[in-house]
Every structure is written in C-alpha cells, then in structure tokens.
Amino acid sequence: MRIVMLGDIVGACGRQSVQQLIPEIHEKFKPDVLLANVENVANGSGLTPDQYRRLFDAGVDGMTMGDHALRKREIYKILQEKSNIIRPGNLPAGAPGKGSMAIEPRNTSLPPVYVIIVLGNMFMGLNANDPVASVDTLLAQIPRKDATIIVEMHAETTSEKQAMGWHLNGRVSAVLGSHTHVPTADAGILPSTKIGARRTAFQADLGMCGGHESVIGRRIEPVLSHLRTGVYMAFDVADKDPRINGVCLDVDQTTGSATAIERFVLHANPQKPPFMV
Ligand SMILES: [Fe+2]
Ligand SMILES: [Fe+2]
C-alpha cells in the first residue's frame, strides 16, 4: 500500500499549492491514502471548516494538526465529529477532538491506515502530556497487531523526533516529524530490531507546503524587522516560490512493515488556478 504524507500546509499559498498539485501527486505516486498536516492553513494558525472542506474535496483523505490545532474555535465541532482529522493525542484530557484515526484507503480491499499525532515537549510552550506514554496508550488501542500505523511526531527538535523514532522502531510503519517546516534529508528505514519484526520508516521533518521565499512560510520582511527591533508585528503568510514537501511511503499491508520511503518536492505554478491570476 502506498501513502503520501505532506508537511504543514501554510496559509492560502500552501492550500492552493496542494490543490493544484494533487493531480500530479496521483499521476506520479498513485497513493492509496493522502495525508497532510493542516495546522497552519488559516493564515498560518489553525484551520476553518471551509478550509477543511476544500482540502477534503481536493483529495486530502486524512488531516493532522499540531500545536495550532485549537487556534480556531469554529473547527472544534469538526475535530469532535469527523473521523478523518486529529489533533495531538497528548493534549490535556478535556481538549476537543482525538489523537488517532483510521483512514480507509481508496482501494477498498486494503486495510485501514491508522494515524496518530503527538506533540514533543522541548521548546513547544504548550501544556502537553508525556509524548512517549501518550503514544504507547494510543498504540495499545489499535485492534490489529499488523496494522499500518503512521505516527507523526510534531516537535521542534530533531533529537526529540529521532528519539521517538527509536522508541517506536519495530512497532509502527513510520515515524514522521513535522512542525519545523524545513524538510530533513534523513528519510530511510530504521535498522531491524529483531528477526521478523516489522520495519519502521523515519524522517525527522516533512517540511511544509507554502511559499518558500519566506521564513518557514511567513513573509521575510516582518520577521527580519522583528529580529532587528524587537517590535511585534503581524507575520503574514508568504506567497512566493510555492512548493509542497512530502514523502511517498510504501508499506506491506499484510505485516505493517515499511518497504520504501522517498522524500519529494513539487513546485506549484502561481500563474495557474487555483491561485489568483
Ligand atoms: Fe506548522
Ligand atoms: Fe506546529
């Protein structure tokens, strides 16, 4: 089974890039499931119900959200009720939504893909619970031992994400990092833990979908100005050099073992729809 997962979609530019390039993704990779992190769609922070619907209609099968999950109150109902969108599983117990989901592939003869997201603790500034204990609890709730399982580790440091990769090695199909918006060049399959154990794919960060002439998706000038003066200003979302970053992951659906992972970058054309031309 083939799964494509995209890094954090940032602002209108990111959403339009994804909408434009989904046909190319299907032509190139022919994924059975398309996943994306959508925490930054609403002008950089959060997601609105309208944006959720547009991305779903465009072909995003499963959506994840990190530290920006609860920025927009209007998305809480969707987080509670829809089966294809999750927020970090280690938020406080009363947080709206859920931390894991099962996505049915397009080819209905394939088993579901389970997706879990947890937040790291280092430099995140959120009241999150222990990601290791939380991910173990969520994994224990998955009914099948051989299930295809993607764990997204939404964290600031590559070290914490690597550590999660080793913690879950042999137990899940892939550990994929997000949040820093810059893709890392370490896509690979971790060494086998023991004979017969499933193989786990890993990449410390997926990168982002959005304007790459930017500071992690925001316009350069306000960020530099803040850096130089300390004065607070709006960090608008960038729109130049639109690209999408993601990985194409192959999993043996009979064992849940990863067989290949490839990082990719696709360039969007801002002169063509759905961009304003
Ligand atoms: Fe993000
Ligand atoms: Fe984030």
Side-chain angles (χ1 to χ4, degrees):
M1 157 153 60
R2 179 163 277 188
I3 298 153
V4 163
M5 179 146 195
L6 304 176
D8 303 22
I9 302 173
V10 184
C13 176
R15 175 179 55 77
Q16 289 163 330
S17 302
V18 171
Q19 285 176 288
Q20 185 183 86
L21 290 167
I22 279 180
E24 193 175 326
I25 290 173
H26 278 287
E27 201 176 306
K28 231 179 157 115
F29 302 112
K30 301 186 172 49
D32 298 298
V33 169
L34 176 58
L35 306 171
N37 183 305
V38 297
E39 70 160 8
N40 302 111
V41 178
N43 202 27
S45 292
L47 182 75
T48 66
D50 179 58
Q51 290 160 347
Y52 165 83
R53 278 185 280 274
R54 283 187 198 215
L55 286 166
F56 181 67
D57 289 345
V60 180
D61 303 309
M63 303 182 213
T64 61
M65 298 187 80
D67 53 310
H68 293 291
L70 305 183
R71 293 273 177 177
K72 298 272 178 215
R73 287 185 153 270
E74 56 267 42
I75 202 68
Y76 294 0
K77 196 167 183 286
I78 283 173
L79 282 173
Q80 295 277 42
E81 292 175 1
K82 297 289 184 184
S83 61
N84 66 344
I85 183 165
I86 53 175
R87 48 72 174 163
N90 54 340
L91 289 182
K98 60 216 166 290
S100 75
M101 61 184 171
I103 301 294
E104 298 295 336
R106 286 152 193 277
N107 175 348
T108 49
S109 66
L110 292 169
V113 175
Y114 292 86
V115 187
I116 291 171
I117 180 168
V118 286
L119 285 178
N121 268 327
M122 293 162 81
F123 310 124
M124 292 298 284
L126 267 190
N127 182 19
N129 298 317
D130 170 11
V132 173
S134 300
V135 86
D136 286 347
T137 302
L138 289 167
L139 282 174
Q141 291 164 1
I142 293 177
R144 303 158 55 117
K145 277 193 75 144
D146 56 354
T148 296
I149 305 169
I150 313 292
V151 173
E152 181 179 344
M153 177 62 170
H154 193 81
E156 193 71 49
T157 68
T158 44
S159 54
E160 200 179 10
K161 290 187 264 196
Q162 281 189 341
M164 182 60 86
W166 294 120
H167 174 63
L168 297 175
N169 188 19
R171 298 163 60 202
V172 304
S173 312
V175 177
L176 302 171
S178 59
H179 177 70
T180 65
H181 296 194
V182 179
T184 53
D186 59 343
I189 297 183
L190 299 177
S192 180
T193 48
K194 60 177 185 228
I195 294 165
R198 72 158 91 196
R199 302 296 298 271
T200 301
F202 179 80
Q203 183 171 314
D205 205 285
L206 292 165
M208 67 162 197
C209 305
H212 275 61
E213 190 176 312
S214 70
V215 177
I216 63 169
R218 309 283 183 153
R219 278 181 52 237
I220 298 165
E221 296 75 17
V223 176
L224 278 186
S225 179
H226 175 68
L227 208 58
R228 291 186 186 116
T229 65
V231 174
Y232 286 96
M233 48 196 70
F235 290 163
D236 309 328
V237 166
D239 58 6
K240 294 206 174 84
D241 190 9
R243 300 181 211 166
I244 66 172
N245 283 289
V247 293
C248 177
L249 175 74
D250 287 334
V251 177
D252 176 346
Q253 69 269 16
T254 62
T255 60
S257 211
T259 55
I261 181 169
E262 184 195 339
R263 180 167 65 91
F264 67 83
V265 184
L266 297 176
H267 293 255
N269 184 344
Q271 307 306 322
K272 288 189 175 168
F275 291 89
M276 305 286 262
V277 288

